Structure formats: C-alpha cells, structure tokens
Amino acid sequence: MSARGRGTPALVLAVWLAAGGAGAAAGQAAADAWVLRGTVLGGGRPMAVLEAPDGRQRRLHVGEAAAPGVRLVAVARDHAVIETPAGRRVVRFGERLDAGSAETRTVPIRLALRAAAAVPDLLAGGALLPHQRDGRPAGFYVNRLPPGSPLAALGLRPGDVIVAVGGTPVSAATDGWALYRELRGRDRIELELARAGRAHRIGYRLVR
C-alpha cells in the first residue's frame, strides 16, 4: 500500500464539467470534496484511499462510488481513474489539480486515427519525447510538430504533455496503436494535457 500523510500536498479529485445541468453541478461539488491519499493493489480487488470532506479516510474498491456521480473505476500504484459526470479523469499523488481549462472540438475521425497511428513515428523522430515524473513514465512531451502533423490539427502545441487519452494514461509507443483500435468504435474522446503547468482538456466529437 502506498499512502500519503495529512501534511502531503493533496490531490483534489477535480472534474471537467460541461456547462449547465444540476446533476453536473452536484458532481463537481462531490468530486472536489474528495482527496486521493493512497492506493492498495494486493489482495483481491484494487482499492483507493480517499479522504472525505470531514477528514476521515475511506477505502473504496474499484466500482464503488465516493459520492453521487463520482465512482472509482481503476487503480494503479501512483494514480487512480475516477468516473465523473463529465467523463473519466486520471488523478495522481503529489500535486494539487485545479479545474484547469478545457475546450471542445469537432474533428473527422480519420484525423484522430491518423494522429494515433503517427505516435510511434513521432516518438522515433523526436517530435514526441517520453515524459517522466519521479522517474516513472508519465506521458509524452510534445517537443515539436512537423508541418502537416495531425497533432497540430487536433490543437496540440509544442510544450504540451499528453497525459491520458479517454481516461487511460499513455506512456509507450504501443499506446498509439491501442488508441487507434479504440477510436474506431468511438464518437467522442477526451485528451488530458499538462499545458504551461496547468491541467488542460480537449474534448473531441468525432464525425465520420
């Protein structure tokens, strides 16, 4: 089990919410109130240690709800994946996430497929670089964008760090091919970035 003490900077379960909607507003308040303190991977179903608004810590198994609209869906050694009214969010230890910024785009699915298929070549050519946090893989750093790059057409910029796609952390060239296969059956997907030191999310509506 890995856990953080009360003096450690908290990782707030912040959510990106679409504008409007009482249910979304309730999900925002519920998610912001919980803090990720630790993870438990052994002995059956994985669990996350979450601190409630009253300061008490609870252990939640994968699939259990922390609050209405806020559910634990996956746990790893250094992060958890939380389902919120706005979609899935990757939350990690050691940093405080604010609500960040967000945008939405409508793009042809063929453009998203081109971008996913290009990841191995972009890594091999140095346009994307493996990014690490505390010595562990933590996404892709956008070093440069070649002319005509599908990543530029999707709104990425040099200096961005691609953290997760569709709520799944990315860290290896093979993740591009896994994303390619997944995209073929999707009509929406969210990209999580670190941009200029802040969380930034791009939600895509994929059209055929």
Side-chain angles (χ1 to χ4, degrees):
M1 169 179 172
S2 61
R4 302 279 171 160
R6 292 181 183 274
T8 305
L11 179 58
V12 178
L13 302 184
V15 297
W16 170 43
L17 296 172
Q28 171 78 64
D32 284 347
W34 294 83
V35 177
L36 180 65
R37 293 298 191 188
T39 59
V40 181
L41 298 179
R45 281 195 299 166
M47 294 184 290
V49 180
L50 298 175
E51 184 175 303
D54 61 5
R56 296 182 181 181
Q57 293 190 359
R58 292 179 54 196
R59 293 184 179 185
L60 288 179
H61 288 97
V62 169
E64 293 181 336
V70 181
R71 185 172 60 92
L72 181 67
V73 296
V75 175
R77 186 164 64 91
D78 63 345
H79 69 269
V81 180
I82 308 296
E83 186 81 49
T84 76
R88 294 187 176 186
R89 290 293 312 279
V90 177
V91 291
R92 301 179 184 274
F93 296 125
E95 61 185 6
R96 183 182 294 275
L97 291 181
D98 57 23
S101 55
E103 60 181 289
T104 57
R105 292 170 175 253
T106 299
V107 300
I109 191 170
R110 63 179 180 275
L111 176 63
L113 290 170
R114 279 181 54 213
V119 167
D121 288 340
L122 292 172
L123 282 166
L128 293 180
L129 300 175
H131 180 71
Q132 293 193 339
R133 180 187 291 114
D134 299 328
R136 295 189 295 272
F140 301 136
Y141 175 79
V142 182
N143 184 41
R144 54 183 172 80
L145 291 174
S149 168
L151 295 186
L154 290 176
L156 274 73
R157 308 172 185 172
D160 286 345
V161 177
I162 304 170
V163 177
V165 181
T168 301
V170 294
S171 60
T174 52
D175 292 335
W177 294 115
L179 174 60
Y180 182 91
R181 291 191 296 270
E182 183 179 354
L183 279 171
R184 296 176 70 87
R186 301 282 291 269
D187 59 6
R188 294 180 185 273
I189 200 160
E190 182 181 270
L191 187 67
E192 294 186 36
L193 309 172
R195 174 173 288 174
R198 298 191 67 207
H200 184 74
R201 289 165 297 283
I202 307 177
Y204 299 98
R205 178 175 175 268
L206 306 174
V207 295
R208 288 170 167 77

